[in-house]
Every structure is written in structure tokens, then in C-alpha cells.
Amino acid sequence: MKPSENCVALIKHFEKFEPRAYRCPAGKLTIGYGHVIQASEHHLRDAVLNEAQASALLAADLAKFAPQVESLLKGIVIAPGQFDALVSFAFNCGANALRNSTLLKKFKAGDVVGAAGEFKRWNKSNGQVLAGLTRRRAAEEKLFAG
């Protein structure tokens, strides 16, 4: 599956466009629409991106996260909105966080309502509740629930 424009729009809304590198609330060096700068990406540390470059980085990131999410859902029929919400979640929290989450366990067990309710538990960074994460998780939950 491929993330839809709804997924891209949700991520762009919550990540906001940042043309220069900055530290996200989790302390990671980030640029564009939430792209975490890897050690091999020295060129991005001092870069000034335009929106098209940031969108291209996001598309490349989603091309990595979507297959990871898909691999966690083998054999499960999933609606496009559910997939989009899980890709957005994995992009923000990491595929390992999704892999080990109660959210995924409930979804795999067929408890879609219970899985949707798990999004709201992921609203902290470094132990602090963040209003932006609370809003993002509510938007992902709504997308997931359809």
C-alpha cells in the first residue's frame, strides 16, 4: 500500500515546514516536514530547504515507513485510512514503537475500536505531555476510525 494524500496532509499539518535544521522535542536534529537528519546526511545540517525539497524528503521517508508498516500487517485487511494513520504514527514515533505497541496488538486481534483508543496514549515526548502530540494523535485516531 501507499500512503494517500490524507496521510501526507496530516503529517505536513503537524510537522510544519522548517527550512533549516532544528531540534525536535525529542532532541533529534530535524528539517523540512519532520525529516530526522541521519549521520550520513551532513549536507542537511546547514541546508536551507524550499518546500519542494522538504516534500521530496517526506515522500522518501514515507517510502521507507510504508513498507515497514505493511510488513507488520501481513494477512490483515486494512482500510486506507487505517494504513494512513499507522504510517503517520510510525513516521512520528518510529516503526519499532508501532511494532511493540498495544495499538498494533489490539488491531491484529481484531479490536479496531480498542486499537483506535490507543493513539491517545502516545502524546508524550521525554515524559512530558505535548499539546501538539495530543492533537496529532486525535487526528490519527479519527483517520484510523474512519
Side-chain angles (χ1 to χ4, degrees), residues 8-9 17 25 32 36 38-39 43 47 51 56 59 97 111 128 131 137 141 146:
V8 174
F17 170 60
V36 175
Q38 303 300 311
H43 64 287
E51 199 279 332
D111 183 3
Q128 298 293 324
R137 296 290 102 83
E141 180 179 353

Side-chain angles (χ1 to χ4, degrees), residues 117-134:
E118 289 294 313
F119 280 95
K120 65 177 81 49
R121 296 182 62 210
W122 292 83
N123 65 343
K124 297 176 188 77
S125 179
N126 294 322
Q128 298 293 324
V129 173
L130 299 181
L133 284 180
T134 300

Side-chain angles (χ1 to χ4, degrees), residues 23-142:
R23 294 271 173 203
C24 73
K28 296 178 182 178
L29 193 59
T30 308
I31 195 167
Y33 290 109
H35 173 78
V36 175
I37 298 173
Q38 303 300 311
S40 63
E41 296 177 310
H42 300 289
H43 64 287
L44 292 177
R45 292 176 185 268
D46 297 317
V48 179
L49 300 182
N50 61 37
E51 199 279 332
Q53 292 167 317
S55 290
L57 273 177
L58 176 58
D61 285 339
L62 293 181
K64 293 175 190 170
F65 279 98
Q68 292 175 28
V69 170
E70 202 168 10
S71 74
L72 295 173
L73 301 169
K74 286 193 171 141
I76 298 173
V77 177
I78 185 167
Q82 292 169 328
F83 182 73
D84 286 343
L86 293 175
V87 169
S88 174
F89 178 91
F91 175 77
N92 186 237
C93 298
N96 283 332
L98 178 60
R99 178 180 291 108
N100 298 316
S101 71
T102 303
L103 187 165
L104 185 64
K105 288 178 181 85
K106 286 184 177 185
F107 186 58
K108 283 182 161 186
D111 183 3
V112 177
V113 173
E118 289 294 313
F119 280 95
K120 65 177 81 49
R121 296 182 62 210
W122 292 83
N123 65 343
K124 297 176 188 77
S125 179
N126 294 322
Q128 298 293 324
V129 173
L130 299 181
L133 284 180
T134 300
R135 289 189 300 273
R136 182 181 186 144
R137 296 290 102 83
E140 289 167 346
E141 180 179 353
K142 182 177 178 184

